[in-house]
Amino acid sequence: KKKCRHFLLHISKLNRNFGFAELTSLWICKKKCRHFLLHISKLNRNFGFAELTSLWICKKKCRHFLLHISKLNRNFGFAELTSLWICKKKCRHFLLHISKLNRNFAHEMDASNSGMKGLAKDTAVYGLSSIVGRFLNYLLVPLYTNVISAASGGYGIVTNLYAYVALILVFLTFGMETTFFRFANKEDEDPHQVFRTALGIVATLSALFLAAVFMFTPSIAHAIGYDSEAEQLYIQIMACVVALDAVQAIPFSYLRYKGKAIKFATLKLMFIALNIGLNLYVFVWLGRTDVYYVFLLNLLCTGFITFFFIPELVEELDFVSFKSYGDASMTEETAIPRGSWVSLCGRMLRYSWPILVLGIAGILNQTADKMLFPLVYPDPAEAQVQLGIYGACVKIAMIMAMITQAFRYA
């Protein structure tokens, strides 16, 4: 009954477009009805639908279909549908044009189905790198809590500094991951120039951040409750880590833009596997217990992964284009119009700053407690001890976040 209602509804719409006063006029003439249904069936097969109702369910394509049918009807000068079937010559021409329309609509259907298949594939691949990777990385928590004593407060330092790293990473990326996708997919923008601009903005912010940290390390360390030289070294190491992570965010976005989900997942899992392996070697095999190695190994792994982006950087970064604007030796294809880079940079920054604000609000919701804990606890030494216990327990909630990460990436 449901399919019948849909069928009659849309047949009625076709009838009105073809100039029928009543739906019954179609059914009264059995011979005309057979011809009509025969050609509708042929159209249905050309569209590749398993059922006739599938055509009507897709409202958007149905509107386009009816629009073209109506236009063809006017062009052929039919007052009634019966005129089409009577005139065989015109009918052949009509079917020829209908066949062409069918191929065009079939191409749109294939593109739509391809997009859905791509989404499913990317979700599976990104899910592997996100869910499995995070679960493997979670295995470091029991390792750290076993080799680093709670009384030392070492894991509290790890929890506290990684909370700051997450917040600073949002500032340094400046929403350029989403902005890159937005502008790279616009028809009037050059994706290569968008990539260079996004990478340039993030690299500049990261360089300025590193310079500020190394110049004012004692002041920054004192402001967040760290005064010893060893703790200042932790801050410098993690500053390098977050700067590299920020710069890597754009090439990782580039891999997603290019549909290189396999390489994306491989690099993510490679980082985690390398990090776990080195941690097991240092803390289990060598028997180290100093929290310094947690930060150092993270820096080594992050730096190692950076080298795998060299092919993408060489491919996309046309350094000649930055040397001169309007150089006579440059061709029209390679030259960048004067001021276009500055204009694009401005438009991207205007688009990205609301994303930055939302990113800050979101990350503070996850990390503010770990940053404020040592500052409000009465005893600074005991604060790191309690924060370490608290941070290890909160890691359990990370498993909940795994579920949403895969689809967000896709």
Short mmCIF file of all heavy atoms in Angstrom, two decimals, residues 165 168-169 172-173 199 202-203 205-211 213-214 236-249 299 302 306:
data_model
loop_
_atom_site.label_atom_id
_atom_site.label_comp_id
_atom_site.label_asym_id
_atom_site.label_seq_id
_atom_site.Cartn_x
_atom_site.Cartn_y
_atom_site.Cartn_z
N VAL A 165 49.79 21.22 27.48
CA VAL A 165 50.12 20.93 26.08
C VAL A 165 48.85 20.88 25.23
O VAL A 165 48.81 21.43 24.12
CB VAL A 165 50.89 19.59 25.98
CG1 VAL A 165 50.89 19.07 24.54
CG2 VAL A 165 52.32 19.76 26.46
N ILE A 168 47.65 24.49 24.70
CA ILE A 168 48.54 25.26 23.82
C ILE A 168 48.43 24.78 22.38
O ILE A 168 48.51 25.57 21.44
CB ILE A 168 49.99 25.16 24.33
CG1 ILE A 168 50.12 25.84 25.70
CG2 ILE A 168 50.97 25.81 23.34
CD1 ILE A 168 51.44 25.58 26.39
N LEU A 169 48.21 23.48 22.20
CA LEU A 169 48.08 22.93 20.85
C LEU A 169 46.89 23.56 20.13
O LEU A 169 46.95 23.82 18.92
CB LEU A 169 47.92 21.41 20.92
CG LEU A 169 47.87 20.68 19.58
CD1 LEU A 169 49.15 20.89 18.80
CD2 LEU A 169 47.61 19.19 19.79
N LEU A 172 48.03 27.01 18.96
CA LEU A 172 49.01 27.00 17.86
C LEU A 172 48.39 26.55 16.54
O LEU A 172 48.76 27.07 15.48
CB LEU A 172 50.19 26.09 18.23
CG LEU A 172 51.04 26.53 19.42
CD1 LEU A 172 52.25 25.62 19.58
CD2 LEU A 172 51.50 27.98 19.26
N THR A 173 47.49 25.59 16.57
CA THR A 173 46.85 25.18 15.32
C THR A 173 45.84 26.22 14.84
O THR A 173 45.55 26.31 13.64
CB THR A 173 46.13 23.83 15.49
OG1 THR A 173 45.23 23.91 16.60
CG2 THR A 173 47.13 22.71 15.74
N LEU A 199 49.93 26.05 6.57
CA LEU A 199 51.18 25.59 7.18
C LEU A 199 52.06 26.76 7.61
O LEU A 199 52.69 26.71 8.67
CB LEU A 199 51.94 24.71 6.19
CG LEU A 199 53.21 24.04 6.71
CD1 LEU A 199 52.88 23.09 7.86
CD2 LEU A 199 53.92 23.28 5.59
N VAL A 202 50.61 28.26 10.96
CA VAL A 202 50.87 27.41 12.12
C VAL A 202 52.36 27.36 12.44
O VAL A 202 52.75 27.42 13.61
CB VAL A 202 50.32 25.99 11.86
CG1 VAL A 202 50.70 25.06 13.01
CG2 VAL A 202 48.81 26.02 11.71
N ALA A 203 53.21 27.27 11.41
CA ALA A 203 54.65 27.23 11.65
C ALA A 203 55.15 28.53 12.27
O ALA A 203 56.02 28.52 13.15
CB ALA A 203 55.38 26.96 10.33
N LEU A 205 53.36 30.66 14.18
CA LEU A 205 52.91 30.69 15.58
C LEU A 205 53.75 29.75 16.44
O LEU A 205 54.12 30.09 17.58
CB LEU A 205 51.44 30.28 15.66
CG LEU A 205 50.42 31.27 15.08
CD1 LEU A 205 49.02 30.66 15.12
CD2 LEU A 205 50.44 32.58 15.84
N SER A 206 54.10 28.59 15.91
CA SER A 206 54.90 27.62 16.67
C SER A 206 56.30 28.14 16.92
O SER A 206 56.85 27.97 18.02
CB SER A 206 54.95 26.28 15.91
OG SER A 206 53.66 25.75 15.73
N ALA A 207 56.89 28.78 15.91
CA ALA A 207 58.23 29.33 16.08
C ALA A 207 58.24 30.45 17.12
O ALA A 207 59.15 30.53 17.96
CB ALA A 207 58.75 29.85 14.73
N LEU A 208 57.23 31.33 17.07
CA LEU A 208 57.15 32.40 18.06
C LEU A 208 56.93 31.83 19.46
O LEU A 208 57.51 32.34 20.44
CB LEU A 208 56.00 33.35 17.69
CG LEU A 208 56.19 34.17 16.40
CD1 LEU A 208 54.93 34.96 16.10
CD2 LEU A 208 57.40 35.10 16.53
N PHE A 209 56.13 30.81 19.56
CA PHE A 209 55.88 30.16 20.85
C PHE A 209 57.17 29.56 21.41
O PHE A 209 57.49 29.75 22.60
CB PHE A 209 54.81 29.09 20.70
CG PHE A 209 54.70 28.16 21.87
CD1 PHE A 209 54.12 28.56 23.05
CD2 PHE A 209 55.20 26.86 21.79
CE1 PHE A 209 54.04 27.71 24.14
CE2 PHE A 209 55.11 26.00 22.86
CZ PHE A 209 54.53 26.42 24.05
N LEU A 210 57.92 28.85 20.59
CA LEU A 210 59.18 28.25 21.04
C LEU A 210 60.18 29.31 21.50
O LEU A 210 60.84 29.15 22.53
CB LEU A 210 59.79 27.41 19.92
CG LEU A 210 59.31 25.97 19.78
CD1 LEU A 210 60.03 25.28 18.63
CD2 LEU A 210 59.52 25.20 21.07
N ALA A 211 60.27 30.38 20.73
CA ALA A 211 61.19 31.45 21.10
C ALA A 211 60.81 32.05 22.45
O ALA A 211 61.68 32.30 23.31
CB ALA A 211 61.19 32.52 20.02
N VAL A 213 59.09 30.59 24.90
CA VAL A 213 59.31 29.62 25.99
C VAL A 213 60.77 29.56 26.38
O VAL A 213 61.11 29.58 27.57
CB VAL A 213 58.79 28.23 25.57
CG1 VAL A 213 59.26 27.17 26.57
CG2 VAL A 213 57.27 28.23 25.49
N PHE A 214 61.66 29.48 25.41
CA PHE A 214 63.08 29.35 25.73
C PHE A 214 63.66 30.65 26.30
O PHE A 214 64.62 30.61 27.06
CB PHE A 214 63.86 28.92 24.48
CG PHE A 214 63.84 27.45 24.23
CD1 PHE A 214 62.79 26.86 23.53
CD2 PHE A 214 64.83 26.63 24.73
CE1 PHE A 214 62.75 25.50 23.31
CE2 PHE A 214 64.81 25.26 24.52
CZ PHE A 214 63.77 24.69 23.81
N GLN A 236 60.63 22.87 28.56
CA GLN A 236 61.26 23.12 27.25
C GLN A 236 61.06 21.94 26.30
O GLN A 236 60.78 22.12 25.11
CB GLN A 236 62.75 23.42 27.43
CG GLN A 236 63.03 24.74 28.13
CD GLN A 236 64.51 24.96 28.39
OE1 GLN A 236 65.31 24.02 28.34
NE2 GLN A 236 64.90 26.21 28.64
N ILE A 237 61.18 20.73 26.82
CA ILE A 237 60.98 19.55 25.98
C ILE A 237 59.54 19.49 25.47
O ILE A 237 59.29 19.27 24.27
CB ILE A 237 61.32 18.26 26.77
CG1 ILE A 237 62.82 18.20 27.06
CG2 ILE A 237 60.88 17.03 25.99
CD1 ILE A 237 63.23 17.02 27.93
N MET A 238 58.59 19.72 26.38
CA MET A 238 57.19 19.65 25.96
C MET A 238 56.81 20.80 25.05
O MET A 238 55.89 20.68 24.22
CB MET A 238 56.28 19.62 27.19
CG MET A 238 56.39 18.33 28.00
SD MET A 238 56.27 16.83 26.99
CE MET A 238 54.61 16.94 26.38
N ALA A 239 57.50 21.93 25.16
CA ALA A 239 57.27 23.03 24.21
C ALA A 239 57.66 22.61 22.80
O ALA A 239 56.96 22.91 21.83
CB ALA A 239 58.06 24.26 24.65
N CYS A 240 58.77 21.89 22.68
CA CYS A 240 59.19 21.38 21.38
C CYS A 240 58.18 20.35 20.85
O CYS A 240 57.87 20.32 19.65
CB CYS A 240 60.58 20.75 21.47
SG CYS A 240 61.90 21.91 21.89
N VAL A 241 57.67 19.52 21.75
CA VAL A 241 56.69 18.50 21.34
C VAL A 241 55.43 19.15 20.80
O VAL A 241 54.93 18.78 19.73
CB VAL A 241 56.36 17.57 22.53
CG1 VAL A 241 55.17 16.67 22.19
CG2 VAL A 241 57.57 16.72 22.89
N VAL A 242 54.90 20.13 21.52
CA VAL A 242 53.64 20.73 21.10
C VAL A 242 53.83 21.55 19.82
O VAL A 242 52.93 21.62 18.97
CB VAL A 242 53.04 21.60 22.23
CG1 VAL A 242 53.84 22.87 22.45
CG2 VAL A 242 51.58 21.94 21.94
N ALA A 243 55.01 22.14 19.64
CA ALA A 243 55.27 22.88 18.40
C ALA A 243 55.29 21.93 17.20
O ALA A 243 54.72 22.22 16.14
CB ALA A 243 56.58 23.64 18.51
N LEU A 244 55.95 20.79 17.35
CA LEU A 244 55.99 19.79 16.28
C LEU A 244 54.59 19.22 16.01
O LEU A 244 54.21 19.01 14.86
CB LEU A 244 56.96 18.67 16.63
CG LEU A 244 58.45 18.99 16.53
CD1 LEU A 244 59.29 17.81 17.02
CD2 LEU A 244 58.83 19.32 15.09
N ASP A 245 53.85 18.96 17.08
CA ASP A 245 52.48 18.45 16.90
C ASP A 245 51.61 19.44 16.13
O ASP A 245 50.79 19.04 15.28
CB ASP A 245 51.84 18.16 18.26
CG ASP A 245 52.30 16.83 18.84
OD1 ASP A 245 52.75 15.98 18.05
OD2 ASP A 245 52.20 16.65 20.07
N ALA A 246 51.77 20.73 16.43
CA ALA A 246 50.98 21.75 15.74
C ALA A 246 51.32 21.80 14.25
O ALA A 246 50.42 21.86 13.40
CB ALA A 246 51.21 23.12 16.38
N VAL A 247 52.60 21.74 13.93
CA VAL A 247 53.02 21.77 12.53
C VAL A 247 52.56 20.50 11.81
O VAL A 247 52.14 20.55 10.65
CB VAL A 247 54.55 21.93 12.43
CG1 VAL A 247 55.01 21.80 10.99
CG2 VAL A 247 54.98 23.28 13.00
N GLN A 248 52.61 19.37 12.49
CA GLN A 248 52.16 18.10 11.89
C GLN A 248 50.66 18.08 11.62
O GLN A 248 50.20 17.34 10.74
CB GLN A 248 52.51 16.92 12.81
CG GLN A 248 53.96 16.52 12.82
CD GLN A 248 54.20 15.30 13.70
OE1 GLN A 248 53.26 14.66 14.18
NE2 GLN A 248 55.46 14.97 13.92
N ALA A 249 49.91 18.88 12.34
CA ALA A 249 48.45 18.86 12.18
C ALA A 249 48.03 19.19 10.75
O ALA A 249 47.07 18.62 10.23
CB ALA A 249 47.81 19.83 13.17
N LEU A 299 59.23 13.38 22.65
CA LEU A 299 59.88 14.28 21.70
C LEU A 299 60.57 13.50 20.58
O LEU A 299 60.46 13.86 19.40
CB LEU A 299 60.89 15.16 22.43
CG LEU A 299 61.72 16.11 21.55
CD1 LEU A 299 60.80 17.07 20.79
CD2 LEU A 299 62.73 16.88 22.39
N THR A 302 57.86 12.04 18.22
CA THR A 302 57.21 13.09 17.42
C THR A 302 58.14 13.58 16.32
O THR A 302 57.72 13.77 15.17
CB THR A 302 56.81 14.27 18.33
OG1 THR A 302 55.96 13.79 19.38
CG2 THR A 302 56.07 15.33 17.54
N THR A 306 57.79 13.21 11.99
CA THR A 306 57.83 14.40 11.13
C THR A 306 58.53 14.12 9.81
O THR A 306 58.15 14.67 8.76
CB THR A 306 58.52 15.56 11.86
OG1 THR A 306 57.85 15.80 13.11
CG2 THR A 306 58.47 16.84 11.03
#
